[in-house]
Amino acid sequence: MNQPLRAPLEIGFDYTRSLGPTLSQFMAGLAGRRILGSRGSDGRVHAPPFEYDPVTLAPPDQLVPVGPEGTVTTWSWAPEPLEGQPLEHPFAWALIRLDGADTAMLHAVDAGSAAAMRTGMRVRVRWADQPVGHIRDIACFEPADGPEPPGAAGAEPDEQAAEITMITTPVRLHYEHSASPEESRFLRGLADGKLLGQRCPACRKVYIPPRGACPTDGVPTTDEVELPDHGTVTTFCVVNVPYPGQRVTPPYVAAAVLLDGADIPFQHLVLGCEPSEVRMGMRVRAFWKPRHQWGTTPENIDHFYPTGEPDAPYETYAHHL
């Protein structure tokens, strides 16, 4: 019996956002080795600063300096840090109420061991070597009663740091995907140049990729069906916006392709013609990569291209939009 397929996957993108006036000041403060909080209408100081008062919903009237020392209010030990976390060795996640603030901020504490951590512990900021105007300018916190790291004594706050209006944060997620038995048969079929779907025994609909159960009737889809590699464009969009990692230069078309004999379309690229020529009802065929490049992956099909056949009548795919 074939075992389900498994593969390591990675999702990654660089998240860029504009900051607005409050967070712009906050990030500029970090670039200058200063932490700013916002004073609310009730007199409480929030650090990090709020963008809108939780009571009046108005923007803060002023930002005030807090820290750089504070008190641990609660904590949790991280014995095995994950990729992208502030420290690569064991540390504590802690809520830290900075001096002058009434709320706590979440950050890492480099205490050396879990035994050294405690609620009520006094900590201070350890600044990054080269602050740039990002939350990571606070490298972590450390026990306030320990020796200062080299160079810390000369790291004076800079009240004239440049305005920070945008930040970019890389986001990465690594995980191992385990395909279902139905997905595994579909992927193994692709390695043989086949497109395998499954039919519901109740409503007789054919699903590709197979789902293992019919979403309409809720019964297992056990009957395997081999489908042709040609079909009809039901809907599509023209992609005009570039983004990192794009393998096709815009403009190009991403379309929903309904294979002949299937009851649900799947998304793929339509190339081989001008984007303006793609239309609903267009007949297309799969363009397979060279056989020596095939594997258990949907990427065996590079794209779909127009066959030149007459367009399919609308009523033949109207119920599959």
Side-chain angles (χ1 to χ4, degrees):
M1 178 179 178
N2 290 326
Q3 294 295 316
L5 296 171
R6 305 174 69 182
L9 297 178
E10 176 182 345
I11 297 175
F13 65 96
D14 292 337
Y15 176 66
T16 301
R17 64 158 291 182
S18 57
L19 293 174
T22 300
L23 293 183
S24 178
Q25 292 180 68
F26 176 66
M27 294 301 178
L30 294 180
R33 293 191 172 91
R34 300 166 63 237
I35 303 177
L36 300 176
S38 52
R39 189 181 302 280
S41 58
D42 58 0
R44 287 163 47 87
V45 174
H46 297 247
F50 57 73
E51 294 185 86
Y52 298 96
D53 192 299
V55 177
T56 67
L57 307 182
D61 292 330
Q62 60 174 319
L63 297 187
V64 296
V66 296
E69 295 190 1
T71 302
V72 172
T73 61
T74 188
W75 59 277
S76 177
W77 190 251
E80 298 180 0
L82 302 177
E83 178 185 1
Q85 290 186 334
L87 298 170
E88 296 181 353
H89 53 267
F91 67 93
W93 285 114
L95 287 174
I96 302 163
R97 186 172 59 245
L98 295 170
D99 294 349
D102 295 288
T103 62
M105 69 182 299
L106 177 68
H107 219 294
V109 176
D110 188 6
S113 68
M117 282 298 302
R118 63 187 183 279
T119 299
M121 180 181 188
R122 293 287 295 169
V123 293
R124 63 169 175 249
V125 171
R126 180 190 298 168
W127 294 103
D129 293 336
Q130 298 292 330
V132 295
H134 196 280
I135 191 61
R136 287 184 178 269
D137 291 346
I138 301 176
C140 65
F141 285 78
E142 59 191 10
D145 57 3
E148 290 191 352
E156 294 298 325
D158 178 10
E159 298 189 11
Q160 304 300 321
E163 182 181 21
I164 308 294
T165 59
M166 304 280 288
I167 59 169
T168 299
T169 301
V171 179
R172 300 290 182 269
L173 175 62
H174 304 274
Y175 66 100
E176 186 169 90
H177 174 68
S178 295
S180 68
E182 295 77 21
E183 288 176 315
S184 297
R185 286 196 290 271
F186 170 71
L187 294 171
R188 289 190 173 101
L190 286 173
D192 292 329
K194 300 177 181 179
L195 290 166
L196 301 179
Q198 286 188 336
R199 177 182 287 114
C200 172
C203 66
R204 310 302 291 170
K205 290 182 178 179
V206 175
Y207 298 96
I208 184 169
R211 303 182 176 191
C214 177
T216 302
D217 299 290
V219 298
T221 52
T222 55
D223 298 335
E224 198 162 81
V225 181
E226 183 175 349
L227 296 170
D229 66 353
H230 47 81
T232 302
V233 171
T234 59
T235 58
F236 68 94
C237 73
V238 179
V239 179
N240 291 291
V241 179
Y243 57 85
Q246 214 166 15
R247 70 179 183 90
V248 181
T249 302
Y252 61 89
V253 171
V257 177
L258 181 69
L259 296 178
D260 292 352
D263 289 283
I264 188 169
F266 66 97
Q267 183 169 298
H268 219 297
L269 301 178
V270 173
L271 305 176
C273 65
E274 291 298 319
S276 59
E277 297 176 12
V278 178
R279 58 199 176 273
M280 295 173 65
M282 174 182 268
R283 296 286 294 165
V284 293
R285 183 180 298 274
F287 182 89
W288 295 78
K289 291 182 178 179
R291 182 175 287 271
H292 69 273
Q293 297 181 14
W294 288 0
T296 51
T297 169
E299 295 181 0
N300 292 354
I301 297 177
D302 186 79
H303 61 273
F304 281 76
Y305 64 94
T307 65
E309 301 171 78
D311 289 357
Y314 176 74
E315 58 270 16
T316 63
Y317 62 88
H319 296 293
H320 303 291
L321 299 178

